[in-house]
């Protein structure tokens, strides 16, 4: 059985009830490819609102969570809380969490381990900066980030990896389908060698970084690209076309 295509929409720090109602309207109208797993990630204060209005075939993800069930961690939320409002997904390790908020590989690994142990499906993000790519360090960086994920993951059925070259996020620059496929294939080989071939064959590796309705079909045809994690484009009706990249 092949890897099910997966498209996530990360809304980041965007939206209010009025604009979110517009997104919900075009998402519910679809039509969405039934063979694609679809998830959207609203800001935390709108999670329950979005879940109550979206059709059940569309998942809702928190954009972040902490590594413990509860405690003195002002401003954070836990996997237990995410589950308590009826959600099954969380995005962890996004480049903005790493580079704006200073989260380390190890902290992200600990968060992934706890979220998976609580039964959530984790979209675990990795990716290199422009200067790292230009220095020829793409594989070194993403392999190091992936190694920490491997160290902290026991149940791979609950982990989806999202490769997001940071230089291509929100810039309009996109890795060519060939560049993206090359990194995805290298990642799968690394996972095979450092976890197992079975895990590598089954784990879904998404591409993120200026994915659009114009380039999604070509990217989606590559054998090691199993879907997308989309930022700004997930706020617009064209997101439906991205969901249907393999329709």
């Amino acid at each position: 059985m092949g890897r099910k295509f997966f498209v996530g929409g990360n809304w980041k720090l965007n939206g209010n009830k009025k604009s979110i109602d517009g997104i919900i309207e075009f998402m519910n109208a679809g039509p969405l490819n039934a063979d694609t797993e679809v998830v959207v990630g609203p800001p935390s204060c709108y999670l329950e609102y979005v879940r109550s209005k979206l059709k059940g075939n569309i998942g809702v993800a928190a954009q972040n969570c902490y590594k413990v069930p509860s405690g003195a961690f002002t401003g954070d939320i836990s996997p237990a809380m995410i589950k308590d409002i009826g959600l099954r997904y969380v995005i962890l390790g996004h480049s903005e969490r790493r580079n704006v908020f200073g989260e380390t590989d190890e902290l992200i690994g600990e968060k992934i381990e706890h979220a998976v142990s609580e039964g959530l499906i984790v979209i675990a993000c990795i990716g290199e900066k422009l200067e790292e790519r230009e220095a020829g360090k793409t594989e070194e960086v993403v392999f190091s980030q992936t190694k920490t994920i491997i160290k902290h993951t026991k149940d791979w059925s609950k982990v989806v990896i999202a490769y997001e070259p940071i230089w291509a996020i929100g810039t309009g620059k996109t890795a060519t389908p060939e560049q993206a496929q090359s990194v995805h294939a290298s990642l799968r080989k690394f996972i095979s060698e450092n976890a197992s071939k079975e895990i590598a064959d089954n784990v879904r590796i998404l591409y993120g970084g200026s994915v659009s309705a114009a380039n999604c079909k070509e990217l989606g045809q590559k054998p090691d690209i199993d879907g997308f994690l989309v930022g700004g484009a997930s706020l617009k009706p064209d997101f439906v076309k991205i969901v249907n990249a393999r329709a």
Side-chain angles (χ1 to χ4, degrees):
M1 186 174 173
R3 299 181 296 267
K4 186 171 185 176
F5 207 65
F6 186 113
V7 177
N10 176 13
W11 298 0
K12 306 188 181 185
L13 199 162
N14 290 296
N16 51 38
K17 283 188 176 180
K18 183 178 179 182
S19 65
I20 286 170
D21 283 343
I23 297 170
I24 288 166
E25 184 176 356
F26 70 68
M27 289 298 292
N28 282 342
L32 307 179
N33 184 0
D35 294 326
T36 296
E37 189 168 351
V38 185
V39 178
V40 298
S44 58
C45 57
Y46 296 116
L47 286 169
E48 208 162 7
Y49 181 78
V50 171
R51 179 64 285 165
S52 70
K53 289 178 170 285
L54 270 183
K55 288 182 176 178
N57 62 324
I58 304 167
V60 178
Q63 294 179 14
N64 187 36
C65 68
Y66 200 50
K67 62 180 182 178
V68 295
S70 62
F73 302 101
T74 300
D76 230 319
I77 60 175
S78 70
M81 294 170 177
I82 294 167
K83 289 199 304 180
D84 191 44
I85 59 169
L87 310 188
R88 298 170 50 230
Y89 300 87
V90 64
I91 301 167
L92 292 173
H94 191 277
S95 62
E96 290 150 15
R97 299 303 311 176
R98 294 175 186 269
N99 299 307
V100 178
F101 297 98
E103 294 188 5
T104 63
D105 287 359
E106 186 60 24
L107 173 59
I108 292 159
E110 290 169 354
K111 287 181 170 190
I112 291 168
E113 184 171 353
H114 179 59
V116 168
S117 75
E118 288 285 296
L120 291 182
I121 296 169
V122 174
I123 303 165
C125 303
I126 58 173
E128 83 282 14
K129 298 176 185 174
L130 178 59
E131 58 266 32
E132 292 167 336
R133 185 175 191 89
E134 290 177 340
K137 293 184 175 179
T138 292
E139 288 191 354
E140 179 185 331
V141 171
V142 298
F143 287 176
S144 176
Q145 293 168 343
T146 303
K147 192 170 186 177
T148 308
I149 294 170
I150 292 170
K151 171 185 164 187
H152 286 279
T153 300
K154 295 181 177 67
D155 183 357
W156 279 90
S157 70
K158 291 187 168 61
V159 174
V160 178
I161 291 176
Y163 166 61
E164 298 192 302
I166 297 164
W167 51 271
I169 297 176
T171 61
K173 295 179 181 178
T174 312
T176 65
E178 291 71 29
Q179 286 173 323
Q181 164 61 22
S182 176
V183 177
H184 281 235
S186 296
L187 276 167
R188 208 173 294 284
K189 183 172 183 285
F190 180 83
I191 294 166
S192 179
E193 292 169 350
N194 290 270
S196 76
K197 185 178 185 301
E198 182 184 6
I199 289 167
D201 287 345
N202 288 288
V203 68
R204 290 173 291 181
I205 306 176
L206 316 181
Y207 174 73
S210 298
V211 177
S212 68
N215 62 23
C216 63
K217 283 192 178 292
E218 193 177 0
L219 284 162
Q221 288 168 1
K222 296 300 179 184
D224 288 295
I225 297 178
D226 304 311
F228 309 114
L229 183 58
V230 182
S234 67
L235 304 171
K236 301 169 185 174
D238 265 0
F239 184 56
V240 171
K241 294 179 184 175
I242 297 172
V243 169
N244 295 327
R246 280 195 179 173

